[in-house]
Amino acid sequence: MKWKKLVTLGCIVVMTVSSVTACGSNTTENQTVEATEQSEENQSDSVIVQVTAVEGDQITADVGTLTTASADASGNGAPGGEAPGGDDSGNGAPGGDAPSGEAPGGDNSGNGAPGEAPSGDAPGGDAPSGEAPGGDDSGNGAPGEAPSGEAPSGDAPGGQMPGGSSFEASGESITFTLTDDTAITLEYLQGSDEGTADDIAVGSVLEVVLDEDNQAVSVTVRNLNAGGGFGGSGEVTNGTSANTITEDTEVDSETYTSTGDDENALRVDGATVTLKDITIEKTAGSSSNTEDGDFYGLNAGLLVLNGATATITGATVNTSVTNGNGVFSYGEGTVVNISDSTIRTTENNSGGIQTTGGGTMNAANLDVETQGNSAAAIRSDRGGGTVKVDGGSYVTNGTGSPAIYCTADISVSDATLTANASEGVVVEGKNSVALTDCEVTGNMSNTYNGDSDENIHCIMIYQSMSGDADVGEATFSAEGGSITAKTGDMFYITNTDCEITLKDVAFTLANDVFLRVEGNSSSRGWGTEGANGGDVTLTADSQEFTGNILVDEISSLALTMKNGTSYEGAINPDGDGGTVDVTLDDNSTWTLTGDSYITSFDGDTSNITANGYHLYVNGEQVL
């Protein structure tokens, strides 16, 4: 059946500038046919479908409609319970206080998943926008802090985020063909990007425009969480400030307080300011929009913006409100230099130091601790920026609150990073974390909703598709120091490309999985199920590590071990999985702890200790 516009048989009224003709007239029939033909020539009509089969370039799908889940009057969520989506950790739907970001799904803003990352703080940690899975901090998804803020209080129908949609089949189906000229678009929670045929899988909901030969002119892979109630106000909204500095000055030993809604205790606007031994107290005042708080600094303790430079030493910053981020750098050209200061936040979506919109944050020897969900100690959100941290202690205690939720370029050296109920670190999208001589501990106690399908992990790298982080290759590097997973896998990568570099790091595993690269259910919007795996390049340089490496059939891994690296573990011991290419130099060794199945091997098998097991390369046993 060819799908163009469905014309209901019966009376069709055609309105023109000159006349309106009654149904049944020959003149009307001619005008109707002519108008319809002209419409089909000048305008392509779309159909909503859900894919049931993919065979090469042939797609079979059920035809239907999208039903939008409504939010309650407060805009906090669809009635019925916690809204899905996950916390910043990206682990699950926001269900209240937002969690991949900073959750695969929501950021601290409460938009979705592991927000700060998945657990993101993506899943589990701050969700993406947010912080990772669980969604990003924005609550959009991923592990990490949950998208930005507290999650909605009720489950939307069909497991959708408030304002999201669900597919309802009509009972009819169609088959159509993808061509080299088909324009494929991926829809995110906010924004869209170019896609490929690989993004279309069974279960995908598509908006399709077909030509007369049932070939797809365009395909939009719909994100059913799009249109939710946590996308911010749609414009830059910084709120107000109880105290504002707009002239270059130096301040010593002043106290700044705030109890107003959407209000900063202190704002530095466009000025160059030195602040010594100041006290910030944000003790009351609600946030009207958690994503605006996550993105733009609304309700933060100290907000620096509009190209200002603030140099802060010996400060004490305390906040006890939602979106009470301690010290916030917003916008390109804005620089915060903060050292030897103490920051405490107690509520959700309240990071220690927060950077968005291209701002810069330079921190040294800080003592930071957060208590709320989606409250990464070192946090970034929409628009990213540059964060450099040297020394200090950074501790989080909430769900979806990794020590670091990254949608920026973040480098940290000689610091202690501890997440007591979330991933240690979440990286979302085309962004980077570089650790040097740091002590990292992750303790993702559970996924936000207790969903058994969610992954528990210490380091999460993902793309929430929230629009808060550019799509592209993420990078994570660690040299020296230690990384300790108290629960779950050490590394979890989903719905993104990434490059991981490890050198002389002391790893302590909680289970037998060092690295898991796999797709996800896409329930938080992290890509399309069946096409949202990971593509990872891992270089281990002078590195000792143990544990299994698992790469599913829609993912890939290029593993290089060099300069005296020692690996003890198995790769895809069950035999099923994606492409795995292993390079082992002459100075490195691999000891098998189970049968291992890889695609290619570059090296000398004499450097592999079989230990009673077998190595299969492209299906052939070589050991």
Side-chain angles (χ1 to χ4, degrees), residues 252-585:
D252 194 343
S253 304
E254 291 288 336
T255 296
Y256 300 95
T257 64
S258 168
T259 59
D261 296 346
D262 295 340
E263 182 182 71
N264 308 128
L266 175 62
R267 179 176 297 181
V268 179
D269 189 346
T272 298
V273 175
T274 298
L275 304 171
K276 182 179 179 181
D277 297 330
I278 65 167
T279 298
I280 300 287
E281 297 284 349
K282 174 66 177 173
T283 58
S286 63
S287 171
S288 62
N289 187 301
T290 53
E291 284 209 337
D292 284 345
D294 291 343
F295 299 162
Y296 311 123
L298 175 147
N299 228 38
L302 170 58
L303 172 62
V304 183
L305 74 171
N306 290 332
T309 297
T311 299
I312 306 161
T313 59
T316 299
V317 180
N318 297 308
T319 74
S320 53
V321 296
T322 297
N323 279 144
N325 292 287
V327 177
F328 201 118
S329 177
Y330 172 74
E332 294 185 6
T334 298
V335 178
V336 174
N337 302 308
I338 180 169
S339 61
D340 303 308
S341 297
T342 300
I343 300 172
R344 297 287 186 270
T345 74
T346 63
E347 299 304 315
N348 298 321
N349 299 92
S350 299
I353 54 175
Q354 172 92 330
T355 307
T356 70
T360 296
M361 178 76 67
N362 298 313
N365 301 319
L366 300 187
D367 179 359
V368 176
E369 185 166 3
T370 71
Q371 300 295 332
N373 297 334
S374 299
I378 301 169
R379 188 182 188 204
S380 63
D381 211 310
R382 181 163 295 182
T386 302
V387 181
K388 294 182 179 179
V389 176
D390 183 12
S393 172
Y394 302 82
V395 179
T396 67
N397 295 288
T399 299
S401 300
I404 301 175
Y405 186 83
C406 173
T407 60
D409 292 323
I410 298 177
S411 58
V412 184
S413 60
D414 299 299
T416 300
L417 306 164
T418 305
N420 288 318
S422 180
E423 305 95 328
V425 178
V426 175
V427 183
E428 180 183 357
K430 191 179 179 181
N431 294 293
S432 65
V433 166
L435 305 178
T436 304
D437 296 327
C438 292
E439 295 181 7
V440 180
T441 302
N443 187 23
M444 186 177 170
S445 56
N446 200 354
T447 58
Y448 199 75
N449 280 355
D451 184 348
S452 61
D453 291 335
E454 294 283 356
N455 182 261
I456 304 292
H457 46 268
C458 182
I459 309 293
M460 176 179 180
I461 305 172
Y462 80 118
Q463 171 56 256
S464 74
M465 313 305 281
S466 67
D468 295 329
D470 289 342
V471 175
E473 186 177 73
T475 60
F476 176 91
S477 65
E479 181 173 353
S482 63
I483 302 178
T484 300
K486 290 192 171 181
T487 56
D489 303 338
M490 179 58 70
F491 286 92
Y492 173 55
I493 289 85
T494 188
N495 197 41
T496 196
D497 298 345
C498 76
E499 180 176 351
I500 300 171
T501 304
L502 306 172
K503 184 175 183 179
D504 196 27
V505 182
F507 287 101
T508 301
L509 275 63
N511 62 20
D512 63 357
V513 177
F514 180 79
L515 171 66
R516 185 185 299 270
V517 188
E518 67 180 18
N520 64 83
S521 69
S522 80
S523 62
R524 292 170 305 280
W526 303 348
T528 301
E529 185 175 7
N532 56 6
D535 295 304
V536 177
T537 299
L538 170 59
T539 301
D541 183 355
S542 306
Q543 180 64 58
E544 294 183 7
F545 65 112
T546 63
N548 292 342
I549 294 174
L550 307 176
V551 182
D552 75 1
E553 64 278 1
I554 58 172
S555 301
S556 68
L557 170 66
L559 170 62
T560 297
M561 295 177 277
K562 64 181 185 179
N563 296 331
T565 288
S566 172
Y567 169 49
E568 183 175 340
I571 299 177
N572 283 345
D574 292 335
D576 297 324
T579 300
V580 178
D581 300 315
V582 175
T583 299
L584 185 69
D585 80 359

Side-chain angles (χ1 to χ4, degrees), residues 88-174:
D88 278 31
S89 63
N91 282 320
D97 295 345
S100 339
E102 301 178 3
D107 46 21
N108 279 296
S109 64
N111 282 321
E116 294 186 353
S119 100
D121 276 1
D126 291 353
S129 131
E131 303 184 358
D136 44 24
D137 280 73
S138 65
N140 283 322
E145 303 190 340
S148 228
E150 302 185 351
S153 60
D155 283 330
Q160 298 299 326
M161 288 291 296
S165 302
S166 59
F167 178 82
E168 294 186 3
S170 67
E172 302 210 37
S173 66
I174 59 171

